[in-house]
Structure formats: structure tokens, C-alpha cells
Amino acid sequence: MAQVVASRVTRQKVGAIADGAFKVLLAAVYMAGAAALGRLLDTPAWLLVVSGVALLIGGGIEIGYTRSRSMRTYTWLMVAYDSGWVLTALVGALMAWRGSSGGGEVWIGYQTAAPIAFAALLIAAKPAQTASV
């Protein structure tokens, strides 16, 4: 039973690290392609650069805290973050479908604020309890 729990926690940690790595990769794409993505999303390039910096910080903190925070905390934060991401993408798509040019800004704006909120909540979370020997 202990092996099953340890295996699940290890998979969860790999998932948390992968989630942080995805944010870091997305940050690099946003910063490197800010001008082209800005035209595509009808969003100022500076907003994509700021979003990239926020994603880089958030992803780095997410990776760095995997040893000291519980996977329950990570799971809750990732579900909340990804739920907001999907909801914001839907709102942005709906805005674009209705002819508004603000959909890209809504979506990128979320990706600017959410990783910082995620990181702040992760830092503020209680450290994971370690097993006593």
C-alpha cells in the first residue's frame, strides 16, 4: 500500500514539474514571438512580453516548490488555474466570434495575472509534512 501511495505522489510531482515546465516553455514562445502573436491575437506585443515574464516566474516557482509543498495543494491550484484558463479562452473566443477585438487581451491578460496568483498561493501554502523516522 505504501508503494502505491509513493508511486502516486511521484507521478503527481512529475505532473507538477511538467505543468511548470509548460509555463516556462509558453513564456519563451510569448517573449520570442511577441510581435507575430500580438498581430494574430490583436494584442499589444508588450502584453505578450509581460505575460511571458509572468509565466516564467510562475512556472519557475511551481517547479521549485515541488519538494516543499503537498501535492494536494498543487492539484487544487492546477485545477483552479486550468479551469480559469479554459473559461477565459472560451470568453475570448466568444468575444472574437461576436466581432470584438478584446478577446486576445482577455486571454493574455489572464495568463499574465494567473501565474503570479498561482505562485503567490503556492508560496503562502503550508509546507508539506514529512514523515518522521
Side-chain angles (χ1 to χ4, degrees):
M1 179 68 160
Q3 277 185 320
V4 171
V5 171
S7 175
R8 188 182 80 218
V9 169
T10 301
R11 283 194 313 266
Q12 288 175 332
K13 283 189 180 191
V14 169
I17 292 168
D19 192 72
F22 178 77
K23 287 180 177 87
V24 169
L25 178 63
L26 192 59
V29 169
Y30 280 8
M31 290 188 283
L37 286 170
R39 284 189 299 277
L40 182 67
L41 296 170
D42 198 20
T43 304
W46 66 264
L47 183 56
L48 283 149
V49 171
V50 171
S51 184
V53 170
L55 283 160
L56 184 63
I57 292 167
I61 289 172
E62 187 173 351
I63 293 167
Y65 274 78
T66 54
R67 290 181 180 242
S68 63
R69 296 299 184 261
S70 77
M71 286 299 104
R72 178 172 286 175
T73 299
Y74 266 93
T75 301
W76 183 85
L77 288 173
M78 286 189 292
V79 166
Y81 180 95
D82 291 345
S83 296
W85 202 66
V86 168
L87 181 61
T88 307
L90 291 172
V91 168
L94 179 63
M95 289 175 72
W97 180 69
R98 297 195 63 182
S100 172
S101 63
E105 289 178 357
V106 168
W107 192 56
I108 297 300
Y110 176 81
Q111 292 179 71
T112 304
I116 299 303
F118 185 107
L121 290 169
L122 190 59
I123 290 168
K126 293 187 330 189
Q129 294 179 346
T130 56
S132 301
V133 180

